[in-house]
Amino acid sequence: MEQQKTPITLCNICPRQCNAARMDGETGFCHAHKLPKVALVSTHFWEEPPISGTNGSGTVFFSHCNLRCIFCQNHEISEDGFGMEISIERLAEIFMEQQNRGLHNINLVSPTHFIPQIATALGMAKHNGLKIPVVYNSNGYEALEGLLQLDGLIDVYLPDFKYWDDTLARKYSSAPNYSAIASQAILEMRRQVPQDMFDVNGIMQKGVIVRHLVLPSHHRDSFHILDWIKESLGQDTYVSLLSQYTPMHRASTIKALSRKLTTFEYEKVTEYFLTIGLKNGFMQKRGSATSDYTPIFNLEGVEK
């Protein structure tokens, strides 16, 4: 399809600007090819309450990633590339199957490097009756050119804001200029979905929730991110403060990241959230800092 082919002839869909000829078999930083690659289609109950609700969120986990987080809990698919390439038509079918399961939404997990394919599949699915909200669950390292292809297709944006200090972003995720890029991306997400809307059961139908994983040894970096959210998005912005950090993948090679987050560190961030006047926050129980919450990637739901 020409609509799908044009944006990835020379791929610049994310801030990496790799110029990889993905239609001809070349790959860039993310290692993704031309077809969407999926590792798991599941029902997820561990997202924020307005996302998971009682019926669960219809997660679609995409393989590969445009970051290289040394502590990534999903490194099996993000870096090692486990998953199965499927057609765009099959991806549209998966969206419909998730809706037919009675789930609250379609939850696109790590979708950035497949934006053109996802946009085409969503168009097909909506034509075939997809009505539940579509959640874009992203690491925040997004190019505006990519996000513009999603305008009108995404109902709920769920971006990470991982770092304020660019030194940390480079060291831990190989992501130059992360805070500048993520802040502009989140502003574009807010532009596309300017109002937060919920149904009678409290399930988000439209809106933005900004996620931030508090890292051990770096809780003061979190303060800067909360300041930006307050100043740029407003005090009513929905913010999810995650305490689930668990040393995984290559985290043991960095002293600062080789341990779990302390209660003191997390409470300092949650206290700061309240001190500066932010109103809508989701906090995690300390028991969430375990590998038990890492999905098992087994291609469930991928094949027809």
Side-chain angles (χ1 to χ4, degrees):
M1 293 181 195
E2 197 60 29
Q3 178 185 358
Q4 166 213 338
K5 180 178 178 180
T6 302
I8 57 173
T9 300
L10 294 176
C11 186
N12 291 302
I13 203 68
C14 91
R16 299 286 177 185
Q17 300 288 294
C18 292
N19 281 310
R22 286 170 61 180
M23 295 299 294
D24 297 326
E26 290 184 10
T27 61
F29 183 92
C30 69
H31 296 155
H33 291 87
K34 66 179 180 179
L35 289 177
K37 192 174 186 181
V38 178
L40 176 66
V41 177
S42 63
T43 302
H44 199 54
F45 291 99
W46 301 324
E47 305 284 35
E48 288 73 12
I51 303 297
S52 287
T54 55
N55 294 353
S57 180
T59 44
V60 181
F61 286 87
F62 292 92
S63 306
H64 304 303
C65 185
N66 67 339
L67 295 186
R68 289 285 183 275
C69 299
I70 63 173
F71 51 84
C72 181
Q73 68 176 13
N74 294 345
H75 61 89
E76 181 183 356
I77 67 171
S78 65
E79 194 164 330
D80 299 341
F82 174 80
M84 175 184 293
E85 289 190 347
I86 60 175
S87 68
I88 293 174
E89 290 77 11
R90 174 59 191 148
L91 183 59
E93 290 176 349
I94 287 172
F95 296 156
M96 296 304 299
E97 289 165 4
Q98 291 291 67
Q99 176 171 275
N100 293 339
R101 292 185 177 101
L103 307 181
H104 291 302
N105 45 59
I106 305 298
N107 190 335
L108 308 170
V109 185
S110 299
T112 307
H113 43 292
F114 293 120
I115 283 177
Q117 298 91 330
I118 289 170
T120 302
L122 283 174
M124 292 177 177
K126 288 176 182 289
H127 178 75
N128 290 329
L130 183 68
K131 295 179 180 178
I132 59 175
V134 178
V135 179
Y136 189 83
N137 189 338
S138 154
N139 61 35
Y141 202 54
E142 303 278 354
L144 296 182
E145 295 83 354
L147 291 176
L148 288 171
Q149 294 189 37
L150 298 170
D151 197 355
L153 294 172
I154 302 300
D155 300 289
V156 178
Y157 278 104
L158 187 60
D160 291 340
F161 201 141
K162 293 180 178 293
Y163 314 98
W164 186 260
D165 186 341
D166 194 51
T167 302
L168 301 181
R170 289 174 178 270
K171 184 176 182 180
Y172 297 157
S173 295
S174 300
N177 303 313
Y178 178 88
S179 64
I181 288 169
S183 59
Q184 289 302 307
I186 293 170
L187 288 174
E188 169 60 20
M189 295 173 185
R190 180 84 281 180
R191 184 198 68 79
Q192 290 186 20
V193 191
Q195 301 294 326
D196 300 315
M197 300 172 59
F198 302 82
D199 68 10
V200 294
N201 296 312
I203 303 302
M204 184 172 266
Q205 304 297 296
K206 297 279 186 181
V208 176
I209 301 175
V210 182
R211 274 182 177 166
H212 173 65
L213 174 66
V214 184
L215 294 176
S217 309
H218 299 301
H219 68 278
R220 293 186 180 278
D221 194 60
S222 304
F223 296 168
H224 295 294
I225 291 171
L226 293 178
D227 285 336
W228 179 86
I229 291 172
K230 167 73 180 302
E231 295 167 5
S232 301
L233 298 175
Q235 63 184 7
D236 294 322
T237 304
Y238 285 86
V239 182
S240 179
L241 292 174
L242 307 180
S243 65
Q244 67 189 43
Y245 176 83
T246 304
M248 296 183 71
H249 198 25
R250 301 190 303 274
S252 61
T253 64
I254 304 292
K255 183 178 180 181
L257 298 182
S258 61
R259 61 171 175 83
K260 291 185 178 181
L261 186 72
T262 65
T263 299
F264 172 83
E265 290 169 318
Y266 186 63
E267 287 183 348
K268 281 294 182 183
V269 178
T270 57
E271 288 171 4
Y272 192 78
F273 174 95
L274 296 171
T275 298
I276 65 174
L278 287 167
K279 295 182 177 180
N280 295 315
F282 301 102
M283 316 300 174
Q284 274 190 323
K285 295 180 179 179
R286 299 294 292 119
S288 61
T290 171
S291 60
D292 292 344
Y293 292 94
T294 303
I296 298 174
F297 300 110
N298 57 8
L299 301 179
E300 179 184 345
V302 179
E303 290 187 285
K304 191 168 184 178

